């Protein structure tokens, strides 16, 4: 049975943060699990572009809104690529297929007599893009956006007869208790339905940015009415009948708890009005907070998921969000807790198990382990864990599924401690026992890695390779491959530590900067900063000649920049502070080129920078990027030159 899975589509007025990334990662875990189970899966995500905030942001940056959205699409896709999100489709609400679907659905609803003209007067929160009733406001502010004042609007609008569908929606909830999960969200929505529904405005007058109503072209469709239709549009509604017949209705919409109402009340009513079947299920996940606070750019509590992914690789982040947060409830991220879980689950537990197993297999059996028993207690533990995993995945208790996989890892570590292979190895009479122990440990690792494939895909693939799996991950199937296997020889491959402990990764480097002669050391201290080694989660097999895969290179974002201002950094022989234009913004970069260039020679120059470096403080100045220069042995740095006519922001690769 084909399974169509979606996430919410994101507003593009800012880059993804850890909360929006959480939704995409957990949906990706579900998509990958479905594929592992052999279910034909269509996983889609996308961008919600017709919001007023998006329009404002484009205007602020002096960009045409579509050009701005194009640029944001690239940024979003780059983030999702970095987090290893395996979406099959990415829709944008400015695409023709979406526009066709919106206009068709709006027309059908109008023809059904469900859209009528009226006057809307009331509050509007631009950040929620939602009409607010007096009772929704707390002290005259929107509960979710307390720093903004809602707008009072009075305009001629088109209204949708939401009230007409209340009873049918209630009946749908009764007939399909699984329609909205988890249970507490269902209760919230039932209370809302029981209180009665009012018709909603579905158009905005006098706005340029949006899709015109087909029957009243000078009005654009209200952004939520527009956005919800993305799911049907991606499935082929109004553009590809055969595709739509195959994929619709959606199997599961994954959305945050703040927008569950739109998906389980408005969206079903819109579909009913257009005569289309309803999605089978909606899952309303909770919030990821940062240090206990709601994630918000303006409050400084927003975390960039790529910063987290670059700390230890994408898989540790995926595991943290999946395993540490009970799916459906709220969760929290702090750097300290993240590092702690990384060390416990990955460095000390799974990573150490994989390393020890490979080392023992090599030492005692020349890396060749043979079946020598039925797996005994470890096999029973694994079977029981697989059962718990299966049940947990079925009810989207992703955290329990991840925990079940780790129960196998724990059991295997305990088994090694109990059986003490190093003692067995000393006695020839325990040779068979030692073979059985080694095989069982390797098999337990294999089963755990199969279970973890949806959560930490590239690391699992690497672990499976090391324990002798020769098929590509896409060929593995849950029913067959998550089962304990007491047969088949295994050729074990040793490799670098998958997850070195965090304290072993961080190195102190010193940025070469000596105090000018005569100055006291405190006036110009040597500058040190910790640097994390940007290691991919599952290191690609080391190339003997040190060559790297193209993906590693593509992680470095090289861009053309124009120097706007340049000044020497006081008390420094080497540093110049530059203000550069990188196309989308201006930034400060501190460059060690003062011995080769006078500041005034640099202004107006077109240079190349590394645009995605973490900020670093040099002589107390925050530097956001690095200037590329050739540094001949013993000579002065020479700036990398490109065609001066290239626009700032152009990618160099
Ligand atoms: N554009 C609308 C959705 C339209 S779907 C037809 C929107 N966009 S959003 O960018 O604000 O949010 C995208 C998704 O991220 C939503 O499901 C939202 O609930 C979720 N999250 C936003 N902040 C979040 C956290 N801090 N934690 C978890 N999820 C969060 O809403």
């Amino acid at each position: 049975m084909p399974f169509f899975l979606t996430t919410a589509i994101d507003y593009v007025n800012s880059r993804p943060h850890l909360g929006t990334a959480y939704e995409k990662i957990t949906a990706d875990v579900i998509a990958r699990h479905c594929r592992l189970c052999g279910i034909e899966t269509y996983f889609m995500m996308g961008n919600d572009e017709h919001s007023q905030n998006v329009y404002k942001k484009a205007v602020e940056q002096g960009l045409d809104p579509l050009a701005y959205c194009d640029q944001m699409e690239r940024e979003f896709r780059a983030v999702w690529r970095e987090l290893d999100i395996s979406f099959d489709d990415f829709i944008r609400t400015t695409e023709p297929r979406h526009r066709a679907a919106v206009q068709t659905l709006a027309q059908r609803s109008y023809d059904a007599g469900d859209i009528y003209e009226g006057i809307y007067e009331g509050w509007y929160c631009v950040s929620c893009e939602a009409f607010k009733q007096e009772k929704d406001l707390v002290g005259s502010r929107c509960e979710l956006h307390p720093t903004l004042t809602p707008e009072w609007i009075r305009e001629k609008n088109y209204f949708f007869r939401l009230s007409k569908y209340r009873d049918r929606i209630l009946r749908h909830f009764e007939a399909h208790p699984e329609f909205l999960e988890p249970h507490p969200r269902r209760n919230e929505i039932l209370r809302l339905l029981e209180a009665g529904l009012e018709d909603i405005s579905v158009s905005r007058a006098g706005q340029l940015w949006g899709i015109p109503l087909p029957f009243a072209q000078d009005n654009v469709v209200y952004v939520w009415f527009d956005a919800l239709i993305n799911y049907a549009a991606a499935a082929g509604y109004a553009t590809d009948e055969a595709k739509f017949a195959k994929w619709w209705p959606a199997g599961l919409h994954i959305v945050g708890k703040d927008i569950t109402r739109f998906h389980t009340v408005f969206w079903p009513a819109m579909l009913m009005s257009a005569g289309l079947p309803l999605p089978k299920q909606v899952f309303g996940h909770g919030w990821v907070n940062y240090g206990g606070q709601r994630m918000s750019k303006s409050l400084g509590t927003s975390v960039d998921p790529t910063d987290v992914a670059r700390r230890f690789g994408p898989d540790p982040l995926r595991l943290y969000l999946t395993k540490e947060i009970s799916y459906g409830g709220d969760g929290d991220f702090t750097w300290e807790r993240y590092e702690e879980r990384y060390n416990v689950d990955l460095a000390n537990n799974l990573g150490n198990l994989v390393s020890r197993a490979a080392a023992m297999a090599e030492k005692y059996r020349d890396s060749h382990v043979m079946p020598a028993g039925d797996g005994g207690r470890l096999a029973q533990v694994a079977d029981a864990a697989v059962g718990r995993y299966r049940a947990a995945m079925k009810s989207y208790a992703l955290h329990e599924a991840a925990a079940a996989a780790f129960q196998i890892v724990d059991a295997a570590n305990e088994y090694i401690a109990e059986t003490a292979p190093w003692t067995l190895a000393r006695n020839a009479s325990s040779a068979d026992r030692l073979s059985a122990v080694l095989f069982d440990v390797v098999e337990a690792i294999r089963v755990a890695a199969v279970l973890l494939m949806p959560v930490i895909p590239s690391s699992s693939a690497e672990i499976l390779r090391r324990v002798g799996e020769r098929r590509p991950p896409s060929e593995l199937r849950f029913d067959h491959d998550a089962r304990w296997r007491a047969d088949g020889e295994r050729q074990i491959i040793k490799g670098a530590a998958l997850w070195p402990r965090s304290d072993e990764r961080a190195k102190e480097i010193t940025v070469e900067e000596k105090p000018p002669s005569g100055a006291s050391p405190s006036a110009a201290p040597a500058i040190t900063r910790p640097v994390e080694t940007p290691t991919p989660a599952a290191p690609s097999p080391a190339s003997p000649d040190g060559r790297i895969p193209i993906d590693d290179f593509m992680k470095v974002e090289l861009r053309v920049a124009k120097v706007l201002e340049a000044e020497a950094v006081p008390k420094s022989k080497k540093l110049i502070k530059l203000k550069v234009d990188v196309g989308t913004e201006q930034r400060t970069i501190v460059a060690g080129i003062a011995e080769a260039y006078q500041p005034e020679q640099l202004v107006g120059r077109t240079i190349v920078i590394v645009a995605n470096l973490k900020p670093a403080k040099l002589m107390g100045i925050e530097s956001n990027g690095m200037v590329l220069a050739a540094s001949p042995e013993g000579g002065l740095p020479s700036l990398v030159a490109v065609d001066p006519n290239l626009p700032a922001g152009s990618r160099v690769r």
Side-chain angles (χ1 to χ4, degrees), residues 6-24 46-49 51 76 93 98 127-129 145 223-231 254-260 262-263 267 283 285-290 293-296 301 325 329-331:
T6 73
T7 64
I9 52 171
D10 294 356
Y11 291 132
V12 294
N13 45 312
S14 55
R15 277 169 55 81
H17 59 59
L18 198 60
T20 46
Y22 170 65
E23 175 174 284
K24 311 308 180 268
N47 283 350
D48 189 353
E49 301 181 332
S51 134
F76 272 70
T93 54
H98 179 74
S127 275
C128 293
E129 289 286 12
H145 301 102
V223 65
W224 266 103
F225 198 85
D226 166 336
L228 287 161
I229 298 170
N230 88 86
Y231 305 123
I254 295 187
V255 300
K257 62 180 183 181
D258 56 325
I259 60 169
T260 311
F262 290 97
H263 286 79
W267 182 220
F283 189 95
H285 62 76
W287 290 106
V288 179
N289 297 320
Y290 177 50
Q293 276 187 293
R294 187 176 136 79
M295 227 170 269
S296 140
T301 50
I325 302 173
D330 290 347

Side-chain angles (χ1 to χ4, degrees), residues 209-524:
W209 185 233
I211 299 176
L213 274 177
F215 46 85
Q217 298 272 341
D218 48 348
N219 292 266
V220 298
V221 177
Y222 163 51
V223 65
W224 266 103
F225 198 85
D226 166 336
L228 287 161
I229 298 170
N230 88 86
Y231 305 123
Y237 180 63
T239 54
D240 187 340
E241 249 177 67
K243 183 178 178 189
F244 192 61
K246 173 169 182 182
W247 294 106
W248 196 260
L252 178 64
H253 291 317
I254 295 187
V255 300
K257 62 180 183 181
D258 56 325
I259 60 169
T260 311
R261 182 172 58 105
F262 290 97
H263 286 79
T264 54
V265 180
F266 295 2
W267 182 220
M270 288 164 64
L271 290 164
M272 285 171 180
S273 169
L276 296 172
L278 305 197
K280 297 208 178 98
Q281 200 170 35
V282 176
F283 189 95
H285 62 76
W287 290 106
V288 179
N289 297 320
Y290 177 50
Q293 276 187 293
R294 187 176 136 79
M295 227 170 269
S296 140
K297 272 227 157 121
S298 50
L299 297 173
T301 50
S302 166
V303 178
D304 186 328
T306 58
D307 282 346
V308 188
R310 283 173 201 167
R311 178 81 176 91
F312 303 124
D315 281 352
L317 169 61
R318 295 173 61 104
L319 179 69
Y320 179 90
L321 294 176
T322 307
K323 182 165 171 280
E324 297 310 306
I325 302 173
S326 155
Y327 201 44
D330 290 347
D332 199 32
F333 175 89
T334 62
W335 285 99
E336 295 73 23
R337 173 106 180 115
Y338 180 53
E339 182 165 338
E340 180 194 312
R341 292 317 309 169
Y342 166 84
N343 283 328
V344 172
D345 283 336
L346 294 174
N348 295 351
N349 204 0
L350 179 57
N352 196 25
L353 175 66
V354 173
S355 300
R356 288 170 87 193
M360 290 190 298
E362 184 187 54
K363 186 164 178 193
Y364 305 130
R365 291 293 178 269
D366 203 15
S367 294
H368 196 77
V369 301
M370 309 274 277
D374 62 1
R377 198 173 56 76
L378 203 48
Q380 285 169 12
V381 171
D383 281 348
V386 171
R388 281 193 295 278
Y389 175 97
R390 187 198 302 273
M393 276 294 189
K394 206 164 169 210
S395 60
Y396 304 126
L398 307 185
H399 54 295
E400 284 176 15
F406 271 86
Q407 282 152 12
I408 303 178
V409 176
D410 290 339
N413 271 321
E414 282 162 22
Y415 187 66
I416 294 177
E418 280 164 21
T419 54
W422 45 92
T423 311
L424 296 176
R426 278 191 227 123
N427 193 340
S429 65
S430 9
D432 286 351
R433 177 78 184 122
L434 177 60
S435 294
V437 166
L438 293 178
F439 185 88
D440 292 349
V441 169
V442 164
E443 176 60 7
I445 294 175
R446 189 193 65 78
V447 174
V450 171
L451 300 192
L452 287 170
M453 274 173 61
V455 186
I456 49 171
S458 57
S459 310
S460 291
E462 174 61 8
I463 294 173
L464 287 166
R465 190 184 74 83
R466 291 188 188 188
V467 295
E469 176 57 64
R470 296 292 165 257
R471 289 168 300 162
S474 58
E475 281 181 19
L476 304 190
R477 286 293 166 266
F478 184 81
D479 277 346
H480 180 254
D481 294 297
R483 221 182 281 146
W484 185 274
R485 242 180 251 156
D487 55 11
E489 303 173 15
R490 314 285 162 85
Q491 187 66 40
I492 309 303
I493 299 170
K494 243 174 109 175
L498 288 165
W499 299 286
R501 278 186 59 86
S502 60
D503 42 14
E504 286 160 19
R505 300 172 73 114
K507 295 190 198 112
E508 286 285 315
I509 63 143
T510 304
V511 177
E512 221 192 293
E513 176 67 19
K514 301 227 168 61
S517 48
S520 75
S522 61

Side-chain angles (χ1 to χ4, degrees), residues 555-597:
K555 285 182 194 147
V556 181
E557 201 182 308
L558 301 177
R559 294 209 180 264
V560 171
K562 306 271 178 193
V563 180
L564 303 172
E565 292 167 18
E567 59 182 271
V569 172
K571 297 192 185 130
S572 167
K573 270 199 303 186
K574 287 193 178 168
L575 298 181
I576 292 188
K577 178 178 154 193
L578 304 173
K579 187 186 216 186
V580 299
D581 173 11
V582 288
T584 49
E585 55 173 323
Q586 296 182 0
R587 334 172 154 186
T588 300
I589 297 185
V590 181
I593 51 173
E595 287 168 319
Y597 297 90

